[in-house]
Amino acid sequence: MGSITLQNVSKTFGEVSVIPSIDLQINDGEFAVFVGPSGCGKSTLLRLIAGVFPATSGKVEISGNIVPLLGLGAGVNLDFVAADNINLLLRISGRKPTPAILEEIWAFTELEERMQRLPLRMFSSGMLMRVLFATATAFPADILLLDEWLSVVDENFSAKAER
């Protein structure tokens, strides 16, 4: 079970107020979508919730474990092959990369098996997203933070990822 509570939270960078003040409550089982023009603070808000950025003021309370998917390529080495990156990401998240888990993750990507042996720098943004999304969601999370991830994949994979 997960929940997010923001009470009078603000975030500034230098003298620029990115998030002037926000109150927000998202309870277990609820979805929230943040919509607005580029530069309005959506990504900053997600990074604040994930703990990447500290709040300048206010109170942030998170209940449950978070899986943040906040940018393509975050936490990967683009010169490593796909399989090595999956192993690395699993270990960073405290998971043991067993052959069964690795097979399940790769099957979810719907990419050809030979692609596992290519460096991620050779992947399109959609292919990279498939690998990172499949790895990050291989284990249950209470809170999943997505920042424009599904905009780089085809319609079929996007529907599969939503399920």
Side-chain angles (χ1 to χ4, degrees):
M1 294 201 311
S3 66
I4 300 169
T5 303
L6 306 179
Q7 295 174 327
N8 197 28
V9 170
S10 69
K11 179 64 183 167
T12 59
F13 291 103
E15 299 201 14
V16 177
S17 177
V18 181
I19 300 173
S21 180
I22 186 169
D23 291 310
L24 176 67
Q25 176 70 41
I26 305 170
N27 298 309
D28 186 43
E30 295 180 337
F31 292 84
V33 177
F34 304 108
V35 179
S38 293
C40 74
K42 300 179 301 290
S43 295
T44 299
L45 178 60
L46 291 174
R47 283 167 173 73
L48 196 144
I49 292 168
V52 174
F53 296 150
T56 304
S57 66
K59 185 176 181 180
V60 177
E61 292 181 0
I62 307 296
S63 171
N65 66 321
I66 295 178
V67 172
L69 300 173
L70 301 177
L72 286 174
V76 301
N77 185 325
L78 296 176
D79 291 324
F80 287 5
V81 298
D84 289 345
N85 270 289
I86 293 169
N87 277 303
L88 175 65
L89 291 170
L90 288 173
R91 289 182 192 286
I92 288 171
S93 66
R95 307 291 184 173
K96 184 178 181 190
T98 66
I101 291 170
L102 296 174
E103 187 177 314
E104 182 180 320
I105 289 170
W106 197 257
F108 190 88
T109 70
E110 298 178 345
L111 297 173
E112 294 178 36
E113 189 172 325
R114 66 185 174 90
M115 301 301 292
Q116 292 181 54
R117 297 181 302 278
L118 291 178
L120 287 185
R121 66 180 150 69
M122 303 294 293
F123 284 35
S124 69
S125 58
M127 292 165 60
L128 177 59
M129 192 289 310
R130 286 171 180 254
V131 171
L132 299 178
F133 185 88
T135 304
T137 59
F139 298 94
D142 298 318
I143 300 168
L144 181 61
L145 300 176
L146 299 171
D147 190 7
E148 299 182 11
W149 273 70
L150 299 180
S151 64
V152 296
V153 295
D154 62 74
E155 188 176 317
N156 291 335
F157 190 82
S158 181
K160 177 180 177 177
E162 285 182 37
R163 285 191 302 275

